[in-house]
Amino acid sequence: MVATLLIALPFLGAFLIPLVALANKKASHYIPALVMLSNLGISLALLPQVMRAPIVISLSGWTAPIAINFVVGPLGLGLAILISLVGFLVSVYGVGYIHEEPKEKYHMLVLTLLTGATGMVLTGDIFNLFVFFEILSLSSYALTGYNRDRGGTEAAIKYLIQGSIGSAFILIGIALLYGTTGTLNMADIAAHVAGVDPTLLFMAMSLLIVGFGVEAAIFPLNAWLPDAHSSAPSSVSAILSGIAIETGAYAVARIVYTVFDGHGIMLVLAILGVVTLLLGEMSAFRQKDDIKRLLAYSSIGQMGLIMLAFGIASDAGVFAALFQLVSHTLAKALLFLASGYIIYRVGSKKLSALAGLGRKMPFTGAMISVAVLSLIGVPPFAGFMSKFSIVRAALAQHSASYTGLIVLVLLATVIEVGYFMKLLQIMFFTQAEGEESVKELPLSALIPITILAALIIIIGVYPHMISGLLQQAASGLVERSAYIQTVLGAQ
């Protein structure tokens, strides 16, 4: 039952923040960091046990499939570790970065968002997957408009409208499944879908993929993302790009692989991924002014690459998708956190305002370079190993379709190299307009971005540090019969 603390602690922490603020306002700002550090410690302590066998927790004294249950396997726990790590670093960053009042509401919303993300990757119940998704989504909408300026408010409304439509699709899909199978337990649904009318099954799967696909930013469901990520505070952008859209991708993969065994649509998923990748990269390449919009479009491209890997439909493909998810989360969180303070210091989000800052802020410039080089797949950074794994997994299918998709991936990588090299060229090799000095980031920002950069390098040099966990996580997702047996046979 210790695993339930991964959800209970951040939810409880969110309610404690206003109470602690009554006694000491400043102390309440440190609660998210303490809670997520505790979650990280609990997750790492559970890892050896979970690597031996998944932990299945049933609540209320009932047994599966009647009980609400949590499934703490290598996949769920691995993502919980990632969420806790990035959540902790962003929380540390937010203590010094967030200046707009009411700060307590910001920290509460961050914790509820992280609660929703953690619940999504651990729940074994499809309705609770929706509930935790709603917790994440509602927190994201509010955080997007936190600055209460015109751009943020407009972006939050767009996000809210599209997200609400996606939520309605999810709820209808769940209703169809419950009406035909009489259960909400994902393992139990998976055990009964073979006897469901194929047309009804396809409708339910399509509704769920579309609904969760909005959060995962799959084409054509990603119109909300550029405005939301560019208008939100940079610490929020780091969470949205590093955690929120990844949990959307996880939900799509869990639905397709575990609940429906949808191998027949995997190529379609891969094609959608490549289309998303190309549109995201081309849109980022066209950005001339706003660095945060450039990073937002880059996130769309990266999510397309992850969905392509999930669409390969093999252990190697899912392993590559998870590796790419980890490398993207670390790199994009670093970029948004570093750029956030730079924008604050220079007073502009324009790319031209970054001219020469790589020389004026050499340490920050070096950290940004690590993230950029990882994203474009340069060795020895983590992004090289993840992209190489995707190419290898696709070619191992010995399919002309997947080989053709990989050619398009390589084309997208060339586009990606183009706009990121332009960013580095502006930062390091363009003459700044003014000669005034610009200070390095404060310690509350330097610590998180340094840890993220170090992890990118360490994982790139020693990929076996996470490869064992990712391989078990991939096998657990692909082998749905083992998941069904683990959940339904655990009582």
Side-chain angles (χ1 to χ4, degrees):
M1 295 296 290
V2 173
T4 59
L5 292 175
L6 296 174
I7 299 169
L9 284 179
F11 203 60
L12 177 62
F15 284 96
L16 282 177
I17 287 173
L19 298 178
V20 173
L22 294 175
N24 190 320
K25 193 170 183 179
K26 190 172 183 180
S28 67
H29 302 165
Y30 293 92
I31 290 178
L34 292 173
V35 168
M36 298 318 297
L37 184 60
S38 299
N39 266 25
L40 182 60
I42 293 170
S43 301
L44 292 173
L46 288 172
L47 187 58
Q49 181 180 350
V50 169
M51 291 293 282
R52 291 191 297 270
I55 301 170
V56 180
I57 304 166
S58 296
L59 303 181
S60 306
W62 298 89
T63 59
I66 298 174
I68 294 173
N69 72 327
F70 296 97
V71 183
V72 188
L75 176 57
L77 187 63
L79 292 175
I81 291 171
L82 189 64
I83 292 167
S84 301
L85 172 65
V86 174
F88 166 67
L89 296 177
V90 172
S91 297
V92 171
Y93 178 95
V95 171
Y97 176 74
I98 295 298
H99 302 287
E100 293 287 332
E101 294 288 350
K103 297 179 184 179
E104 290 75 26
K105 290 185 179 179
Y106 165 84
H107 294 293
M108 289 175 64
L109 288 167
V110 166
L111 275 182
T112 54
L113 188 156
L114 295 170
T115 301
T118 306
M120 283 182 68
V121 301
L122 295 181
T123 186
D125 180 280
I126 196 168
F127 185 76
N128 278 292
L129 179 67
F130 168 74
V131 170
F132 285 118
F133 173 77
E134 282 296 283
I135 293 172
L136 179 150
S137 297
L138 291 172
S139 303
S140 299
Y141 306 151
L143 285 169
T144 298
Y146 178 77
N147 285 334
R148 288 171 291 180
D149 55 11
R150 180 174 179 177
T153 303
E154 181 181 342
I157 292 173
K158 288 180 181 178
Y159 191 5
L160 170 64
I161 292 171
Q162 293 179 64
S164 299
I165 294 172
S167 296
F169 275 62
I170 294 169
L171 201 55
I172 296 170
I174 292 173
L176 287 175
L177 284 177
Y178 182 68
T180 54
T181 63
T183 180
L184 293 170
N185 184 281
M186 286 192 280
D188 201 33
I189 295 172
H192 289 89
V193 291
V196 176
D197 176 54
T199 302
L200 190 61
L201 204 63
F202 179 77
M203 288 176 59
M205 181 171 61
S206 299
L207 287 167
L208 290 168
I209 290 174
V210 169
F212 288 117
V214 172
E215 189 64 42
I218 303 172
F219 174 82
L221 309 169
N222 48 26
W224 62 271
L225 187 145
D227 288 337
H229 286 212
S230 62
S231 301
S234 292
S235 55
V236 175
S237 300
I239 298 177
L240 293 178
S241 191
I243 293 176
I245 58 177
E246 273 80 358
T247 54
Y250 160 82
V252 171
R254 177 63 80 187
I255 291 296
V256 172
Y257 277 94
T258 301
V259 177
F260 292 102
D261 190 22
H263 280 76
I265 69 158
M266 290 302 184
L267 182 58
V268 175
L269 193 65
I271 292 171
L272 281 176
V274 170
V275 173
T276 303
L277 169 65
L278 288 170
L279 289 177
E281 302 297 5
M282 287 189 290
S283 297
F285 187 82
R286 286 170 54 88
Q287 288 302 307
K288 306 298 182 184
D289 294 323
D290 192 329
I291 182 175
K292 290 189 70 177
R293 287 187 76 86
L294 181 149
L295 296 178
Y297 279 117
S298 171
S299 291
I300 292 176
Q302 293 292 315
M303 291 310 299
L305 190 57
I306 292 169
M307 296 314 300
L308 161 66
F310 276 127
I312 294 173
S314 67
D315 281 24
V318 175
F319 168 83
L322 296 175
F323 205 144
Q324 180 65 23
L325 188 151
V326 171
S327 66
H328 170 255
T329 294
L330 298 176
K332 200 53 65 69
L334 193 164
L335 283 173
F336 273 115
L337 294 184
S339 64
Y341 256 110
I342 292 175
I343 292 168
Y344 175 73
R345 289 280 169 82
V346 302
S348 174
K349 293 191 290 184
K350 291 186 176 181
L351 285 168
S352 58
L354 306 182
L357 286 182
R359 298 192 304 274
K360 294 182 177 182
M361 306 170 68
F363 185 81
T364 303
M367 298 299 99
I368 289 175
S369 299
V370 168
V372 165
L373 294 174
S374 180
L375 285 172
I376 63 179
V378 174
F381 304 105
F384 168 75
M385 291 303 301
S386 61
K387 286 192 172 183
F388 178 74
S389 298
I390 293 173
V391 173
R392 184 170 59 182
L395 295 179
Q397 295 295 91
H398 302 291
S399 164
S401 298
Y402 284 105
T403 301
L405 293 179
I406 288 300
V407 172
L408 294 176
V409 168
L410 297 177
L411 173 62
T413 300
V414 172
I415 299 172
E416 184 179 38
V417 169
Y419 66 77
F420 271 131
M421 287 300 101
K422 178 184 177 182
L423 172 62
L424 294 184
Q425 187 268 334
I426 291 172
M427 289 189 64
F428 288 96
F429 304 106
T430 301
Q431 186 65 37
E433 294 182 1
E435 295 300 324
E436 68 276 5
S437 62
V438 180
K439 296 179 181 179
E440 283 284 4
L441 306 187
L443 194 61
S444 61
L446 285 177
I447 291 174
I449 67 171
T450 302
I451 292 173
L452 289 166
L455 288 171
I456 290 169
I457 296 171
I458 292 169
I459 291 173
V461 176
Y462 302 105
H464 61 273
M465 288 182 58
I466 65 169
S467 61
L469 173 60
L470 296 184
Q471 285 168 353
Q472 282 207 29
S475 297
L477 187 62
V478 174
E479 296 170 10
R480 66 193 295 267
S481 59
Y483 178 88
I484 294 169
Q485 178 60 34
T486 295
V487 176
L488 299 183
Q491 311 302 327

